[in-house]
Amino acid sequence: MAPKRTVQLSLKMPTHAVCVVGVSAHVDVHSDVPKGANSFRVSGSSGVEIFMVYNRTHVTEPIGKVRWPLDTDADMVVSVGTASKELRDFKVRVSYYGEQEDQALGHSMLYLTGVDISLEVDTGRTGKVKRSQGDKKTWRWGPEGYGAILLVNCDRDNHRSTEPDLTHSWLMSLADLQDMSPMVLSCNGPDELFDSHKLVLNMPVSDSKRVRVFCARGGNSLSDYKQVLGPQHLSYEVERQSGEQEIRFYVEGLTFPDADFLGLVSLSVSLVDTGTLPEVTLFTDTVGFRMAPWIMTPNTQPPEELYVCSVMDTHGSNEKFLEDMSYLTLKANCKLIICPRVENRNDRWIQDEMEFGYIEAPHKSFPVVFDSPRNRGLKDFPYKRILGPDFGYVTREIPLSGPSSLDSFGNLDVSPPVTVGSMEYPLGRILIGSSYPKSGGRQMARVVRNFLKAQQVQAPVELYSDWLSVGHVDEFLTFVPTSDQKGFRLLLASPSACLKLFQEKKEEGYGEAAQFDGLKHQAKISINEMLADRHLRRDNLHAQKCIDWNRNVLKRELGLAESDIVDIPQLFFLKNFYAEAFFPDMVNMVVLGKYLGIPKPYGPIINGRCCLEEKVQSLLEPLGLHCVFIDDYLSYHELQGEIHCGTNVRRKPFPFKWWNMVP
């Protein structure tokens, strides 16, 4: 927008003014008029648009020779449609008349120089910069929305660097430009005009640590791209070259939305008249951007890579487990990536260490790993081994105190897309475990919760996980894709379903069938003994109440019906007032499309089959899923984790574009 400008006319000498294409300028026709004048007439050269602004209830438009009375509130406004080829090549003439209408009492001349100044970005979200006549400063959500988008340049395109690209104030690689959003400055006008006028790019102080701008001069060398705005650089006097009509810039995002940053930034260009003291800003054009949010992907998205750690412990290596993962990825057509011991330092809990997501703009998308603050053996793996070309990295550190178990990302999940009443969540909702509704207790760190909430597109839901010893949501829930209209099911661990199953088997005459049958390292316990164990029943009554509380929250916050939930048989036991899985926790599975890697429960063998496996298959396989039961007892279960805890999956991004939603 331009500041409201009024051009003063003079009878004694011509008036000269600069007019920005498409921007109107008011002309004062009342201040300097000949004595006895009572009307005026206006004419202009080709390319000048002249119109009068007046209140139709008080002023009547003249008929005939279009002379306007001076004693009205009619204002004259001029604009130009194109840039001038030379200085002052547009002309406006104002003639004043008195009672003698045939002879003018005097004339005022206005010489205009047209200049085309605009700052253009991809407001239409097409992936290309196009000239926009609409609002470029405001950012709007939704399919009819508008406004440009920035990616946080958090990948590492240069193999010689060890840090994300955003840490460098200079361009490290030409490939890095693809991670930035283009911006074009139009500056068409006579070269002589810029001898007495300058163009200045500006950014607000609050945005200086969030955005960096590079000026491009069209070459293929890194030296052709110079940082002109960013931290410690709030303004830049544009170096326009003779005859230059467009100057290209690249805008780099530096920070994700967070508690202290809504994600919106702006840049502006001003045309400044340097021939006056003080200098006068004639015109300012402002563009707005929103930083692309970090987006999680649910189990319903197709898998691309499965990560798992090679480890060694007192029972030996987990080589058999790795073989089982290799089989599973082969079936699911998914790449297997094994993190070696030298990189994981014998830390197998790769789900707890990190969460895969992605960021997207209309012109570019790439995966971004969110590194948890747990900082154990795998702490360097996301930064040193995953960060790379077109693979970004973000983390949040906990100030002043160390992390709790709830800060691990086994305590972080996301639902498939859901609709809750009239509210749509096309990217699902993030789920985190907390101590609520219990007063006190463990919580996920505020810095992590604030970050997740600030992304806006996957509004977080807090669940109650502090009843568990480890305290992660993946111990009692998961989502699986289905081939029906719903597209998914929520699986919940269910002590009630397990006790009901065991009671049925007892009544069928299989009460002596034993849990842990086939395990060398665990004492067997019969169905009769489990059902008669008052402590076990009491512990599972408590566990079921905790899960039921979460069930109600999930139904309410995700808009789920009972038919959308599948109860997976599972027992827990209390240790120091916190629950642990009594046998391998089957909902703690890895989901690779329709193939499910499920912890082998070692349930009672009836007619040659594990009754727990048989029950789960009867629940899930009619939904188009394939259950693959995998032994994780020694390498994972005995260490209070399961398959999901020990694996991590990078999935395809959503086809839905986040900017088309309305949070």
Side-chain angles (χ1 to χ4, degrees):
M1 292 292 293
K4 185 175 181 180
R5 293 178 56 215
T6 300
V7 179
Q8 302 286 341
L9 296 182
S10 171
L11 293 169
K12 299 186 177 79
M13 64 183 69
T15 301
H16 305 108
V18 174
C19 195
V20 176
V21 172
V23 178
S24 301
H26 287 255
V27 180
D28 183 358
V29 297
H30 298 283
S31 295
D32 191 3
V33 299
K35 186 175 180 179
N38 58 20
S39 65
F40 66 94
R41 182 180 178 183
V42 183
S43 62
S45 62
S46 175
V48 180
E49 184 177 356
I50 304 168
F51 51 99
M52 305 300 295
V53 179
Y54 58 94
N55 188 329
R56 293 181 181 273
T57 60
H58 298 103
V59 179
T60 301
E61 183 175 346
I63 301 173
K65 292 188 178 181
V66 193
R67 290 180 185 169
W68 291 83
L70 283 166
D71 60 352
T72 67
D73 293 330
D75 292 323
M76 175 178 147
V77 176
V78 299
S79 66
V80 297
T82 60
S84 294
K85 290 182 171 55
E86 56 187 44
L87 291 176
R88 300 180 289 278
D89 59 356
F90 295 119
K91 302 176 181 64
V92 177
R93 179 186 178 104
V94 179
S95 301
Y96 295 94
Y97 297 87
E99 297 298 331
Q100 300 292 328
E101 294 186 359
D102 295 334
Q103 187 172 0
L105 299 178
H107 306 279
S108 294
M109 288 299 300
L110 171 61
Y111 292 92
L112 296 172
T113 301
V115 59
D116 186 7
I117 304 295
S118 72
L119 203 56
E120 300 297 336
V121 292
D122 182 17
T123 55
R125 302 169 186 167
T126 63
K128 296 181 180 180
V129 176
K130 297 179 181 178
R131 190 78 180 237
S132 173
Q133 301 300 324
D135 183 359
K136 296 181 287 187
K137 183 177 181 179
T138 308
W139 206 95
R140 290 283 183 264
W141 294 90
E144 303 301 321
Y146 50 86
I149 293 166
L150 285 178
L151 296 174
V152 177
N153 192 14
C154 58
D155 68 341
R156 186 187 66 216
D157 287 317
N158 191 313
H159 65 88
R160 294 190 300 272
S161 174
T162 60
E163 299 175 316
D165 295 331
L166 58 80
T167 61
H168 303 289
S169 59
W170 59 92
L171 199 66
M172 294 287 291
S173 165
L174 290 178
D176 211 19
L177 296 173
Q178 301 302 314
D179 301 337
M180 304 181 193
S181 294
M183 179 173 71
V184 177
L185 170 61
S186 295
C187 50
N188 188 13
D191 290 338
E192 296 86 352
L193 175 73
F194 295 97
D195 294 337
S196 58
H197 295 75
K198 65 182 179 181
L199 293 167
V200 181
L201 276 179
N202 295 285
M203 65 163 49
V205 176
S206 59
D207 293 343
S208 63
K209 63 182 180 180
R210 295 164 179 154
V211 172
R212 196 179 282 128
V213 179
F214 291 87
C215 181
R217 284 305 180 185
N220 293 320
S221 170
L222 293 176
S223 60
D224 293 320
Y225 299 86
K226 180 177 74 171
Q227 184 202 339
V228 295
L229 291 180
Q232 289 82 51
H233 299 279
L234 299 180
S235 65
Y236 165 65
E237 184 175 336
V238 177
E239 299 171 0
R240 181 187 180 274
Q241 299 172 2
S242 178
E244 198 166 26
Q245 297 183 12
E246 283 189 351
I247 302 175
R248 198 166 184 85
F249 296 88
Y250 289 89
V251 187
E252 176 185 33
L254 302 180
T255 58
F256 281 95
D258 215 322
D260 60 348
F261 175 40
L262 293 175
L264 295 172
V265 295
S266 64
L267 299 170
S268 63
V269 65
S270 295
L271 176 65
V272 180
D273 185 349
T274 60
T276 61
L277 287 176
E279 296 179 344
V280 176
T281 298
L282 302 180
F283 170 75
T284 297
D285 199 16
T286 302
V287 295
F289 296 86
R290 180 176 289 279
M291 215 69 72
W294 180 77
I295 301 172
M296 288 180 65
T297 50
N299 287 349
T300 48
Q301 288 303 110
E304 295 196 316
E305 295 174 336
L306 174 69
Y307 288 74
V308 64
C309 293
S310 172
V311 293
M312 182 77 70
D313 54 33
T314 55
H315 301 293
S317 75
N318 66 336
E319 183 177 352
K320 178 60 171 65
F321 183 80
L322 299 181
E323 291 174 0
D324 291 336
M325 291 297 107
S326 178
Y327 169 80
L328 197 64
T329 54
L330 184 65
K331 298 290 285 186
N333 194 27
C334 172
K335 183 179 179 181
L336 175 64
I337 297 177
I338 297 176
C339 173
R341 286 192 291 275
V342 68
E343 294 177 2
N344 65 51
R345 292 181 288 185
N346 230 37
D347 179 6
R348 71 200 68 205
W349 309 117
I350 198 165
Q351 175 61 51
D352 289 342
E353 182 58 38
M354 61 190 188
E355 185 67 53
F356 288 114
Y358 69 96
I359 57 176
E360 183 174 25
H363 69 282
K364 181 74 180 284
S365 174
F366 58 80
V368 176
V369 62
F370 186 12
D371 190 1
S372 81
R374 73 188 279 268
N375 292 341
R376 289 166 63 178
L378 278 160
K379 68 176 183 178
D380 295 329
F381 181 73
Y383 192 83
K384 290 186 176 180
R385 302 300 297 175
I386 294 180
L387 170 64
D390 286 342
F391 212 130
Y393 173 93
V394 65
T395 190
R396 287 295 181 269
E397 294 294 338
I398 303 172
L400 304 178
S401 63
S404 77
S405 176
L406 272 67
D407 295 315
S408 297
F409 286 170
N411 194 35
L412 174 63
D413 208 334
V414 64
S415 79
V418 292
T419 299
V420 186
S422 61
M423 188 67 187
E424 294 184 354
Y425 298 93
L427 302 175
R429 299 191 70 178
I430 285 173
L431 307 175
I432 59 175
S434 179
S435 61
Y436 190 78
K438 186 173 67 176
S439 61
R442 299 168 296 174
Q443 286 190 336
M444 182 176 282
R446 184 177 296 276
V447 290
V448 177
R449 286 184 285 132
N450 286 347
F451 173 84
L452 296 171
K453 182 179 179 181
Q455 307 314 303
Q456 294 194 65
V457 295
Q458 295 176 305
V461 177
E462 286 199 31
L463 300 174
Y464 177 36
S465 67
D466 195 31
W467 60 278
L468 291 153
S469 180
V470 174
H472 294 176
V473 294
D474 68 355
E475 297 177 77
F476 63 87
L477 69 81
T478 194
F479 294 91
V480 294
T482 59
S483 55
D484 58 7
Q485 185 175 0
K486 183 67 180 181
F488 73 90
R489 293 292 188 277
L490 166 64
L491 309 188
L492 287 178
S494 176
S496 294
C498 190
L499 291 173
K500 180 183 178 183
L501 175 65
F502 286 170
Q503 183 64 38
E504 290 173 355
K505 297 306 177 186
K506 176 183 178 179
E507 292 173 0
E508 292 171 7
Y510 301 109
E512 293 304 315
Q515 181 69 37
F516 307 121
D517 194 0
L519 266 179
K520 299 177 183 178
H521 308 281
Q522 177 67 41
K524 298 178 185 179
I525 178 171
S526 69
I527 290 177
N528 288 336
E529 290 172 318
M530 288 187 287
L531 292 175
D533 189 330
R534 289 181 299 159
H535 295 293
L536 188 61
R537 278 188 171 274
R538 180 197 61 199
D539 293 352
N540 281 281
L541 179 62
H542 168 73
Q544 189 64 60
K545 287 181 179 179
C546 296
I547 294 170
D548 285 345
W549 191 91
N550 286 301
R551 186 191 203 94
N552 290 330
V553 172
L554 289 161
K555 288 169 66 176
R556 181 178 70 247
E557 298 297 333
L558 301 184
L560 301 180
E562 275 298 320
S563 58
D564 302 324
I565 302 172
V566 178
D567 291 308
I568 301 299
Q570 186 62 49
L571 293 182
F572 297 87
F573 70 98
L574 293 185
K575 184 177 180 180
N576 297 325
F577 305 105
Y578 290 95
E580 298 178 14
F582 183 69
F583 54 79
D585 190 350
M586 289 187 285
V587 297
N588 195 284
M589 64 180 71
V590 63
V591 180
L592 302 179
K594 63 183 180 180
Y595 293 94
L596 312 180
I598 305 173
K600 186 174 180 61
Y602 287 99
I605 304 298
I606 298 174
N607 295 326
R609 296 187 63 186
C610 169
C611 66
L612 290 172
E613 291 184 16
E614 188 175 33
K615 180 63 175 179
V616 170
Q617 286 175 308
S618 72
L619 293 169
L620 300 183
E621 293 191 349
L623 299 173
L625 300 166
H626 295 270
C627 301
V628 181
F629 293 94
I630 296 171
D631 179 12
D632 74 342
Y633 197 91
L634 295 179
S635 295
Y636 296 89
H637 173 73
E638 281 203 336
L639 301 174
Q640 293 185 270
E642 308 287 358
I643 294 177
H644 185 260
C645 309
T647 57
N648 210 314
V649 184
R650 182 173 73 84
R651 302 181 184 277
K652 288 185 179 180
F654 284 100
F656 181 87
K657 307 304 179 186
W658 62 265
W659 50 86
N660 287 329
M661 71 177 291
V662 181

